[in-house]
Amino acid sequence: MDLIRRVAKDLVEANYAIAFTGAGISTESGIPDFRGPSGIWTRDPEAEKRAYEIYGKFLRDPSEYWKEALRSPLYSLLEKAEPNPAHKALADLESMGILMCVITQNIDGLHQKAGSRNVVEFHGSVSKLRCIRCGSRFDKRKFIKVLESHNVPECENCGSALKLDVVHFTEPIPTDVYVKSFEEAMKCDLMLVCGTSAVVYPAAELPRVAKRNGAKIVEINLEETSLTFEGVSDYIIKGKVGENLPKIVEEVKKLRIQS
Ligand code: NAD
Ligand code: ZN
């Protein structure tokens, strides 16, 4: 049986299927990934080192942090991007009642723009601000004037300096998304892992936890990953998510008509 038919059948037969996505699901929206063949860090390893300093900078000097965040070409690219057929396919699977939730490592908000409703943003979102003291989140648009006048935005609940909701390296994962993601990974019996190299922890623990709990793990990726090599995934569909996920949706529709 070809792998598209196989995953469609697995999805239809699953009781609780979820998706786990990474930067690779957004490359076809024009956002580069980090570690893929033409990723940001594959081409510029120094950029990876700088990324490890951002959170410390916020803790030391929020105003310096905001100066850099506002200049970042990556953040403005993310805010302008549009969903691609892969995001739309996952939203379709959710509205068909096949997919229960999407856990994404991405910060670009493209799953929601494509129509997915049950989305857990493990690494936060570029369009929100978050207070690391009380955990409150705010729509970034609310603070545009403050940011444009080069002031540090402050939490409306406790007055602390706000940062982007984005989880930077060395920053802990906010408790609410952490708990929700691990609950979903433990609950699912099928995890569709789309466009992630699965090397950033603790996010990369999610497919491993799901596997240990008996779930089937299916990867869609341009290349084999640590999940493939370690035998965490049951099988891998090698190729573009934007081409394969819409084919999977079509196959699921066919199977449903037949049954
Ligand atoms: P990664 O860069 O480590 O890995 C991306 C994976 O996707 C690679 O294995 C690559 O082969 C695969 N890939 C790339 N294009 C693909 C396509 N069209 N179809 C199928 N597979 C494709 O990304 P990661 O595992 O998500 O980890 C990087 C971290 O950086 C994450 O935390 C993520 O939040 C963050 N990040 C986010 C964005 C975004 O929000 N769009 C962009 C870059 C990085
Ligand atoms: Zn607060």
Side-chain angles (χ1 to χ4, degrees):
M1 192 192 304
D2 83 21
L3 290 179
I4 299 290
R5 285 205 64 193
R6 182 171 172 191
V7 67
K9 191 165 173 289
D10 284 342
L11 279 165
V12 170
E13 286 172 0
N15 288 317
Y16 200 93
I18 70 171
F20 175 55
T21 68
I25 201 163
S26 295
T27 52
E28 290 165 71
S29 291
I31 304 172
D33 61 12
F34 283 164
R35 299 179 188 78
S38 47
I40 298 172
W41 293 346
T42 312
R43 285 180 298 168
D44 178 12
E46 284 300 311
E48 179 166 12
K49 288 188 196 145
R50 287 196 299 276
Y52 279 84
E53 290 160 15
I54 300 174
Y55 186 56
K57 193 163 279 174
F58 173 76
L59 296 178
R60 279 192 309 277
D61 186 352
S63 114
E64 201 51 38
Y65 163 90
W66 274 110
K67 252 186 235 163
E68 284 191 22
L70 293 174
R71 278 202 305 259
S72 162
L74 180 64
Y75 294 149
S76 49
L77 179 72
L78 294 180
E79 282 178 304
K80 284 187 211 119
E82 291 297 329
N84 67 55
H87 298 102
K88 295 208 180 83
L90 291 185
D92 286 346
L93 289 173
E94 181 182 340
S95 63
M96 291 159 76
I98 297 273
L99 206 61
M100 300 303 159
C101 125
V102 177
I103 304 172
T104 187
Q105 298 167 86
N106 296 345
I107 55 175
D108 54 30
L110 292 182
H111 286 299
Q112 292 93 327
K113 269 197 195 169
S116 286
R117 285 181 298 271
N118 199 4
V119 181
V120 187
E121 296 176 307
F122 198 81
H123 291 152
S125 162
V126 77
S127 54
K128 290 180 210 150
L129 306 188
R130 176 166 46 84
C131 173
I132 58 168
R133 191 173 186 199
C134 73
S136 305
R137 289 186 182 81
F138 305 93
D139 193 320
K140 188 175 165 203
R141 284 172 298 190
K142 245 182 143 178
F143 291 87
I144 286 301
K145 287 216 170 88
V146 178
L147 293 169
E148 278 173 358
S149 53
H150 301 290
N151 289 315
V152 173
E154 287 175 358
C155 177
E156 290 177 356
N157 292 330
C158 74
S160 293
L162 291 172
K163 64 181 284 297
L164 282 169
D165 182 33
V166 173
V167 177
H168 304 296
F169 283 96
T170 75
E171 177 179 357
I173 307 295
T175 313
D176 55 351
V177 286
Y178 185 92
V179 170
K180 173 83 176 148
S181 301
F182 278 90
E183 274 173 8
E184 293 289 342
M186 305 270 281
K187 213 187 313 177
C188 74
D189 57 358
L190 174 66
M191 184 184 272
L192 203 52
V193 181
C194 309
T196 175
S197 59
V199 294
V200 178
Y201 282 83
E205 201 59 65
L206 293 165
R208 292 169 167 95
V209 162
K211 175 76 173 184
R212 283 200 292 276
N213 229 34
K216 200 172 270 185
I217 312 292
V218 183
E219 281 185 277
I220 310 177
N221 200 305
L222 290 177
E223 54 189 13
E224 290 172 344
T225 71
S226 58
L227 299 177
T228 335
F229 300 131
E230 290 167 26
V232 175
S233 57
D234 290 80
Y235 54 99
I236 175 167
I237 298 174
K238 255 177 141 180
K240 289 188 174 178
V241 280
E243 287 169 9
N244 285 289
L245 280 166
K247 285 189 199 161
I248 292 168
V249 173
E250 287 315 306
E251 204 56 44
V252 166
K253 284 183 189 159
K254 278 191 217 158
L255 285 176
R256 285 191 140 187
I257 292 167
Q258 282 163 18
S259 62

